[in-house]
Amino acid sequence: MHEKIEGSFVALVTPFNHDGSLDIEGFRTLLDFHRTNGTAAVLIMGSTGEVSMLSPDERRRVIAETVKMKSGAMRLFYGCTGNNTDTTIEMVKIAQAEGADGAIIAAPSYICAAEADIEAYFREIADAVELPLGIYNNPPRVKTDLGHEALLRLFEHPNYVIHKESTARVGQVAQVLAARPDVSVMCCDSPNLGLVVPTMALGGHGTANMSGNIAPAEMAALSQPWKGWNEADTFRQTYLGTLPLLHFTYSAINPVPVKSLMRAVGLPAGPLRKPLRGLDGPALQKGVDMLRQLGILDRYGLSPALPADPDSGAQP
């Protein structure tokens, strides 16, 4: 029986050094930051982690190095989606062998496969390993969309224990929650999709978010399952209070805003991988000002230091 994950599940950025190489010590700093501030689990090398621009060797190294940093109750999951079924299975097996707590899988990008093909893909992966797995239904990124009937068939497999939904279909979330109370149902924190409030109200188990990269304690409070009025009231206050941050982190393609903002306030992040470019000028200053107004800079002892040249990755 796999442990049910509840709370804030943060999709971590991949920190890079100034020369673009992996910043392994940056991972250590970020993981400590999340443990200290209530994050229940992190997803390493999801879309927020620029996984599609990491080489196979880099992906293996990230798993091998960060697994050694496991400590306490916070779980380490890894984005293991490959460009086909075999490469995905290979990556999940690597994560399992290294000691990962689990893996999150999406449909391979670009191929726009039919729903039936992707359902078979998810089932074949689960049959190939013995590791807690999550399904990431993210049609805006991969164009393949799983409906609730396909999802419920997949959740009959004991290895699938997490569902992350990135559509705006409240009814689909309700179908999964009603039929599979043993599955941790998470939704992304995008205020534009508007799925967070109804998911938590229906009994959702947390959020699979990226805003927690810069406000982990706030997202931990927002992501607590509603056991009663206290959690619902905390959610309402936290959600409305952090709404400017949520809108900012989705103001450009993920992870451009959140990684640019992290770097600007001194958290390990480094440059984005080209062709992505960081925010600069008024767009970035708006984000820093917003963090100051929300009290986030003071809460975490962060100090703004805006990059002189976001395209090159040079520090001021």
Side-chain angles (χ1 to χ4, degrees), residues 194-215:
L195 201 60
V196 176
V197 177
T199 295
M200 299 305 292
L202 287 166
H205 303 95
T207 68
N209 65 81
M210 67 171 176
S211 302
N213 276 285
I214 202 155

Side-chain angles (χ1 to χ4, degrees), residues 188-192 208-211 245-252 257:
C188 81
D189 55 329
S190 167
N192 303 314
N209 65 81
M210 67 171 176
S211 302
L245 173 63
L246 301 180
H247 278 291
F248 183 86
T249 55
Y250 284 91
S251 62

Side-chain angles (χ1 to χ4, degrees), residues 92-153:
V92 175
K93 286 183 174 180
I94 290 171
Q96 177 180 310
E98 292 286 356
D101 292 311
I104 303 294
I105 309 297
S109 62
Y110 194 73
I111 62 174
C112 305
E115 182 185 48
D117 295 340
I118 295 304
E119 183 180 346
Y121 154 88
F122 277 110
R123 185 169 290 105
E124 189 171 346
I125 294 165
D127 286 340
V129 298
E130 184 51 52
L131 188 70
L133 301 173
I135 296 173
Y136 185 13
N137 191 44
N138 189 9
R141 284 272 188 174
V142 302
K143 300 304 179 187
T144 299
D145 192 357
L146 294 174
H148 74 271
E149 292 180 343
L151 287 169
L152 291 178
R153 286 191 294 268

Side-chain angles (χ1 to χ4, degrees), residues 16 20 27 34 36 41 44 54 74 77 145-146 190 198 204 215 220 223 230 232 242 247-248 260 274:
F16 295 122
F27 270 117
H34 285 284
T36 301
I44 297 172
L54 299 177
M74 190 175 76
F77 276 63
D145 192 357
L146 294 174
S190 167
S223 302
N230 286 339
T242 57
H247 278 291
F248 183 86
S260 300
K274 294 179 180 179

